[in-house]
Amino acid sequence: MEKLIIKGGKPLNGSISISGAKNAVVAIIPAALLIEGKCVIENVPCIDDVSVITDILSQLGAKIRLINKHTIEIDSTNIETCKADHTMVSKMRASYYLMGALLGRFNHALVSMPGGCDLGPRPVDQHLKGFRALGAKIDDDNGYYELTADELVGGHIFFDIVSVGATINVMLAAVKAHGITIIENAAKEPHIVDVANFLNSMGANIKGAGTDVIKIKGVDCLKGGTYSVTPDYVEAGTYMLMTAGTGGNVLIKDVIPKHLESITAKLKEIGATVNEYDDSIQVISTKRLAPARVKTLPYPGFPTDLQPLITTLLSVSNGTSIVTEAVWESRFRYVDELRRMGANITVEKSVAVIEGIEELSGCPVKSHDLRAGAAMVMAGLMANGTTEVTELQYIDRGYEDLEGKLTSLGADIRRIEDKTPSTTSKAN
Ligand code: EPZ
């Protein structure tokens, strides 16, 4: 095991580039199962989740070739099995996309129930509702979902809640179904649009991705091609908030500023300067920031994945802030770690009340999940003294070279071997 040692109190300064989006690529790679041919995917982030999902595809029979550090070729012509076993599937939540992709290609999928990091209950009822609307029969037995259909036929689905995973999964299943599928109350995150763009560039006919209503006209086959993954707006938002938290000045490059509007607006509201350019965004912060009210919402609202980071930022603001988590039930568990660093935060169900303090104090803390791990690193960068962050397996799932990028911005952060055994599992 490894841990990060951070000496805090140094403002981040300089420029960095943002990698391809984790939550897009973990859907695009399984989507390649729908293609009988080769597809080349560019701007793939170098993160552990990509290794896991490409390993799963290899086990199914896909040929994966690493063209360079950020480009892979996937050939799904000869898939040997529709069964994705528990060992691999339990390592990441996004393996639920194997259900839609295998069902869409073979009218059959046998996929272990996906594991999940503890953000509260993570049901898949909306995914299953969508598959059923296309004509699939579903059995859940012995920890597996078995989905079968004689033929998938386009259907009309109105989701009861806005779900990223269900929206993408139903797109995957519907892309080759007979006739037209309409998804209403669809999620609108940039990764939904990216998966639709990927499938369309391979021959699919999907319209409306990025709006509430997505219309999919089934096509007979998807051909190969080349596609470049969209920039990771959550990674970009992470560095925007870290810059503001350390009182720094950073140009964040290779982003789509439109995707970052909710974060830009909140940072401006509390007193940071944010300058938007065509494909970069600059954050400057020179003074103690003001408190705020934040409520997480599906896109284009403030992203739940940045909730631990904005809470960390507000822990040293000049007054009382209220952060409401409206997407995941249990996403405040990391607050105990912030309290150990001196933060004054009380959590009642899904609402955190934050009394801003002058300064956090460095101490040993652990990552509870991917974004909470990033928040611990951010707290360490902001704190007085030295912070040790453990359970880095979460951070490595989704941030490419976090400490390398931070070091290039002037942070004092290094990774060392940690002799203490890990107490938690890795699934998210
Ligand atoms: C995706 O998870 C992301 N993961 C999450 O990012 C992100 O937090 C989440 O969307 C919300 O933006 C990936 O893209 C791989 P949802 P997902 O279905 O698809 C409820 C990160 O740190 N729900 O949009 O699993 C659910 O309980 C991760 O990068 C149902 O009730 O999230 C939640 O309250 C963590 N039934 C809400 O909807 C369902 O069938 C949103 O979940 C599905 C979801």
Side-chain angles (χ1 to χ4, degrees):
M1 297 305 295
E2 296 172 319
K3 62 182 172 186
L4 289 171
I5 309 288
I6 305 162
K7 288 194 182 136
K10 289 189 161 192
L12 298 179
N13 281 304
S15 67
I16 43 159
S17 287
I18 292 307
S19 302
K22 169 185 96 79
N23 287 343
V25 82
V26 296
I28 286 173
I29 292 172
L33 286 167
L34 289 157
I35 299 162
E36 289 170 68
K38 290 179 182 171
C39 68
V40 173
I41 307 171
E42 300 171 338
N43 201 30
V44 175
C46 230
I47 53 174
D48 284 357
D49 268 9
V50 165
S51 311
V52 174
I53 194 73
T54 50
D55 283 352
I56 296 177
L57 258 70
S58 295
Q59 282 189 353
L60 297 175
K63 302 271 172 293
I64 313 274
R65 194 161 69 88
L66 191 65
I67 294 177
N68 61 45
K69 192 178 173 198
H70 292 116
T71 308
I72 57 173
E73 181 188 79
I74 303 177
D75 183 352
S76 298
T77 311
N78 298 309
I79 296 301
E80 291 151 10
T81 173
C82 288
K83 178 173 180 180
D85 75 42
H86 176 72
T87 328
M88 297 301 282
V89 167
S90 62
K91 289 189 179 175
M92 65 185 294
R93 184 75 189 166
S95 48
Y96 52 36
Y97 292 133
L98 298 166
M99 292 198 273
L102 289 168
L103 181 68
R105 167 90 179 266
F106 299 107
N107 291 345
H108 184 212
L110 186 57
V111 180
S112 170
M113 291 178 183
C117 153
D118 193 5
L119 306 175
R122 298 185 75 173
V124 291
D125 57 298
Q126 299 300 305
H127 303 232
L128 303 183
K129 168 178 163 163
F131 297 144
R132 284 196 187 98
L134 303 179
K137 291 195 179 58
I138 301 166
D139 284 320
D140 51 347
D141 232 1
N142 298 324
Y144 278 82
Y145 288 110
E146 179 155 29
L147 296 82
T148 45
D150 296 332
E151 183 191 30
L152 291 171
V153 180
H156 196 144
I157 299 134
F158 200 113
F159 283 131
D160 301 318
I161 45 111
V162 178
S163 161
V164 168
T167 302
I168 293 179
N169 235 341
V170 173
M171 275 194 327
L172 299 179
V175 90
K176 292 171 78 179
H178 189 72
I180 292 174
T181 297
I182 295 174
I183 304 175
E184 298 206 51
N185 201 21
K188 297 182 277 201
E189 272 71 1
H191 29 290
I192 309 279
V193 179
D194 209 40
V195 176
N197 287 344
F198 166 75
L199 291 167
N200 283 343
S201 74
M202 304 288 150
N205 186 341
I206 304 173
K207 295 202 169 85
T211 74
D212 292 334
V213 185
I214 300 178
K215 190 169 165 187
I216 304 155
K217 198 168 172 196
V219 295
D220 288 339
C221 75
L222 298 182
K223 57 182 175 24
T226 298
Y227 188 78
S228 183
V229 177
T230 194
D232 195 323
Y233 75 101
V234 180
E235 188 198 17
T238 298
Y239 288 107
M240 289 172 76
L241 294 166
M242 286 179 171
T243 304
T246 59
N249 178 345
V250 174
L251 183 69
I252 299 160
K253 297 187 296 190
D254 301 327
V255 299
I256 299 175
K258 172 92 189 139
H259 293 169
L260 297 161
E261 275 175 349
S262 64
I263 305 134
T264 299
K266 195 52 70 179
L267 282 176
K268 284 183 173 171
E269 182 188 313
I270 62 177
T273 302
V274 184
N275 299 318
E276 291 179 34
Y277 304 102
D278 285 349
D279 58 1
S280 60
I281 200 153
Q282 181 185 28
V283 177
I284 306 169
S285 170
T286 48
K287 56 179 189 288
R288 190 168 179 203
L289 296 170
R293 277 180 175 262
V294 179
K295 182 171 184 178
T296 67
L297 287 169
Y299 188 85
F302 193 91
T304 171
D305 292 342
L306 292 173
Q307 178 264 104
L309 291 112
I310 191 90
T311 300
T312 303
L313 178 64
L314 295 172
S315 72
V316 294
S317 72
N318 189 15
T320 306
S321 300
I322 295 179
V323 175
T324 305
E325 172 56 59
V327 178
W328 296 115
E329 238 176 76
S330 307
R331 218 175 189 174
F332 280 122
R333 288 178 313 139
Y334 67 90
V335 161
D336 282 343
E337 308 292 316
L338 284 183
R339 282 201 199 104
R340 291 180 337 102
M341 297 179 76
N344 182 353
I345 305 175
T346 47
V347 177
E348 186 72 35
K349 293 193 174 144
S350 59
V351 180
V353 178
I354 306 156
E355 301 293 346
I357 58 165
E358 287 284 333
E359 196 171 46
L360 295 170
S361 306
C363 73
V365 288
K366 70 174 186 182
S367 309
H368 282 268
D369 60 53
L370 169 61
R371 308 303 173 187
M376 291 307 109
V377 171
M378 172 172 170
L381 296 170
M382 290 160 54
N384 179 18
T386 301
T387 299
E388 290 185 11
V389 184
T390 53
E391 307 291 348
L392 303 186
Q393 69 275 18
Y394 293 114
I395 293 175
D396 294 340
R397 282 189 33 239
Y399 285 98
E400 176 170 342
D401 192 19
L402 181 68
E403 68 267 26
K405 289 187 183 185
L406 288 172
T407 302
S408 77
L409 296 175
D412 187 340
I413 177 169
R414 68 201 158 90
R415 188 180 282 244
I416 63 164
E417 207 47 46
D418 180 13
K419 305 275 188 287
T420 326
S422 165
T423 50
T424 43
S425 73
K426 187 175 180 174
N428 188 20

